[in-house]
Amino acid sequence: MAGLLGGCGFRPLYAPGGQSAAAGATREELASVQVALIPERSGQLLRRTLQHRLGSGYGVTPRYDLRAALQIGVEQEGFRRDGAATRSRYVVTAPWQLYTAAVPPVLVASGAETSADAWNLPDNQFFAADVASEAAQRRLIDLISNDIVEKVAIALSSQAAGRSA
C-alpha cells in the first residue's frame, strides 16, 4: 500500500517525525501563522485550538496572519406533543482568510468551513442539557479548526511547491 501511495505522488502535509523535507517545511510554515483575535467565548476557544494545531507562538517569526470568524446557529429538531423541544442542533460556519504578514497584506487563501452537531434536551434536566450543549460546541470547534488547518496546510504547501518549481 505504501509503495502505491508513493508512486501516485502522495506525501503527508504535516506528518510528525519529519518523514520528508516538504513535510518539515510545511510544519515550519504552519508554525509561522499568527491567529488573529476572534470575539466571544466560542471564538476564543477556536483561536486557542487553531494556535495549538498550527504550533504557532513558539518563537517563530509570524509570516502569515489567519483571520477567522465564527457564526453559530441553533435549530430545534425534535418536539413533544406539547410543543417543547427535545433535540437541538448547532450549525457552525467559520469563514477564514490567510494573509501574508507583509505590508500591504496579500491574500494567500480563503474559505469557509461548516459543520453541524446535535444533542438531546432531557426533561427537567437543565444541567445535563447545558453540558450536552457545551460538549457539542467544543466538538464543532475541534472539527472546524481541523478543517481550517488542513486547508491552510494545503495552501502553504502548494505555495511552497510553486516557489521551488
Side-chain angles (χ1 to χ4, degrees):
M1 180 68 116
L4 292 173
L5 288 176
C8 73
F10 172 81
R11 59 185 164 89
L13 284 174
Y14 51 100
Q19 297 173 358
S20 71
T26 302
R27 271 196 314 277
E28 185 178 315
E29 289 290 301
L30 286 174
S32 71
V33 175
Q34 176 179 326
V35 183
L37 295 175
I38 307 170
E40 299 184 7
R41 175 71 180 142
S42 55
Q44 293 170 0
L45 292 173
L46 177 62
R47 180 175 187 254
R48 188 178 69 193
T49 305
L50 285 169
Q51 287 174 323
H52 177 72
R53 286 202 166 81
L54 291 166
S56 58
Y58 298 109
V60 177
T61 304
R63 292 189 300 267
Y64 300 96
D65 184 28
L66 179 62
R67 302 173 191 171
L70 200 57
Q71 302 159 350
I72 300 176
V74 180
E75 302 171 349
Q76 303 304 320
E77 288 189 327
F79 297 94
R80 292 191 316 227
R81 289 180 190 238
D82 65 358
T86 60
R87 188 162 175 83
S88 289
R89 179 174 114 147
Y90 278 136
V91 178
V92 176
T93 303
W96 58 273
Q97 301 86 30
L98 180 67
Y99 291 94
T100 61
V103 177
V106 177
L107 181 65
V108 175
S110 65
E113 308 307 321
T114 302
S115 193
D117 197 357
W119 71 97
N120 291 328
L121 300 168
D123 290 338
N124 297 323
Q125 295 183 18
F126 306 109
F127 179 73
D130 284 345
V131 169
S133 169
E134 289 177 15
Q137 192 173 17
R138 286 183 187 268
R139 282 192 304 270
L140 287 170
I141 286 172
D142 282 345
L143 287 170
I144 292 286
S145 66
N146 279 339
D147 292 345
I148 291 173
V149 170
E150 181 179 287
K151 301 286 174 43
V152 167
I154 291 168
L156 293 177
S157 173
S158 55
Q159 183 179 6
R163 280 191 303 233
S164 65

